[in-house]
């Protein structure tokens, strides 16, 4: 029983409760109550099962060898513990998620640097009210009209307007 108790993982209910949305609080409370009930019941059980008085049964049961046979089978009986196949998969998924999160953070930091450069460019240019068309085209080259490609007004295809 001690092995089973040691194998149980402690649950941080406070951290768990912080992540529960308000509409699911009743379900969370029910889960915590059920878990506490089962933990209390498990803690109330003895460390090992009570010993069987085989001598009493040998004197009480008239058929010879029956109690010895039961005793031999009882001592030979082993309850197999289930093998955990899922923890390795979960840990692999966690490692993959951590790598994905780290790459996302790195990409986000690169985007932040790019956006800060763009913001600095916008802050350092002259106000729009004081700009000429040439200043505007220099600051935003993608808006410049290509008069060589489209020599007649409106200088862009009608579909692009």
């Amino acid at each position: 029983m001690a092995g089973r108790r040691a194998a149980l993982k402690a649950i941080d209910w406070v951290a768990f409760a912080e992540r529960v949305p308000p509409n699911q609080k009743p379900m969370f409370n029910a889960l915590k109550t059920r878990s506490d009930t089962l933990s209390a019941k498990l803690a109330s059980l003895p460390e090992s099962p009570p010993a069987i008085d085989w001598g009493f049964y040998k004197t009480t049961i008239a058929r010879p060898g029956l109690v010895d046979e039961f005793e031999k089978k009882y001592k030979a009986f082993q309850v197999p513990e289930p093998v955990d196949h899922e923890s390795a998969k979960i840990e692999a998924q966690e490692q993959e998620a951590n790598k994905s999160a780290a790459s996302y953070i790195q990409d986000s930091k690169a985007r932040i640097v790019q956006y800060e450069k763009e913001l600095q460019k916008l802050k350092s240019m002259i106000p729009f009210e004081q700009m000429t068309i040439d200043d505007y085209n220099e600051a935003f080259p993608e808006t410049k009209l290509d008069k060589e490609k489209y020599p007649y007004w409106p200088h862009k295809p009608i579909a692009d307007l």
Side-chain angles (χ1 to χ4, degrees), residues 27-95:
M27 289 186 286
F28 169 75
N29 291 334
L31 172 70
K32 185 173 182 329
T33 303
R34 178 121 170 101
S35 174
D36 291 344
T37 304
L38 292 175
S39 295
K41 186 171 184 176
L42 182 64
S44 71
L45 295 175
E47 191 66 29
S48 59
I52 298 174
D53 183 12
W54 296 106
F56 170 75
Y57 289 108
K58 286 178 184 175
T59 58
T60 308
I61 296 177
R63 187 172 168 198
L66 182 67
V67 175
D68 293 331
E69 181 182 337
F70 277 129
E71 183 179 6
K72 186 173 109 181
K73 287 182 181 179
Y74 178 79
K75 289 182 179 176
F77 181 72
Q78 292 292 326
V79 177
E81 292 198 24
V83 180
D84 185 11
H85 299 288
E86 300 301 318
S87 289
K89 292 177 187 176
I90 291 170
E91 288 173 6
Q93 286 177 349
E94 182 181 9
Q95 293 296 328

Side-chain angles (χ1 to χ4, degrees), residues 4-150:
R4 283 188 262 167
R5 286 187 186 151
L8 292 176
K9 294 184 179 178
I11 299 172
D12 186 2
W13 289 104
V14 175
F16 191 4
E18 290 174 355
R19 291 173 174 80
V20 176
N23 64 336
Q24 294 180 358
K25 286 288 185 187
M27 289 186 286
F28 169 75
N29 291 334
L31 172 70
K32 185 173 182 329
T33 303
R34 178 121 170 101
S35 174
D36 291 344
T37 304
L38 292 175
S39 295
K41 186 171 184 176
L42 182 64
S44 71
L45 295 175
E47 191 66 29
S48 59
I52 298 174
D53 183 12
W54 296 106
F56 170 75
Y57 289 108
K58 286 178 184 175
T59 58
T60 308
I61 296 177
R63 187 172 168 198
L66 182 67
V67 175
D68 293 331
E69 181 182 337
F70 277 129
E71 183 179 6
K72 186 173 109 181
K73 287 182 181 179
Y74 178 79
K75 289 182 179 176
F77 181 72
Q78 292 292 326
V79 177
E81 292 198 24
V83 180
D84 185 11
H85 299 288
E86 300 301 318
S87 289
K89 292 177 187 176
I90 291 170
E91 288 173 6
Q93 286 177 349
E94 182 181 9
Q95 293 296 328
E96 185 178 323
N98 288 341
K99 287 179 186 177
S100 174
S103 69
Y104 179 77
I105 290 170
Q106 188 176 12
D107 293 344
S108 295
K109 288 180 180 178
R111 282 192 306 271
I112 288 170
V113 168
Q114 177 188 357
Y115 294 149
E116 285 176 348
K117 286 179 184 177
E118 205 172 307
L119 182 63
Q120 188 61 33
K121 176 187 164 189
L122 292 172
K123 285 182 177 180
S124 66
M125 62 186 211
I126 61 174
F128 285 109
E129 302 87 32
Q130 299 173 6
M131 276 189 182
T132 63
I133 293 292
D134 294 331
D135 292 334
Y136 182 77
N137 288 337
E138 185 180 320
F140 302 101
E142 66 274 0
T143 62
K144 185 175 181 181
L145 298 176
D146 188 6
K147 293 184 181 180
E148 291 178 12
K149 191 171 181 182
Y150 305 107

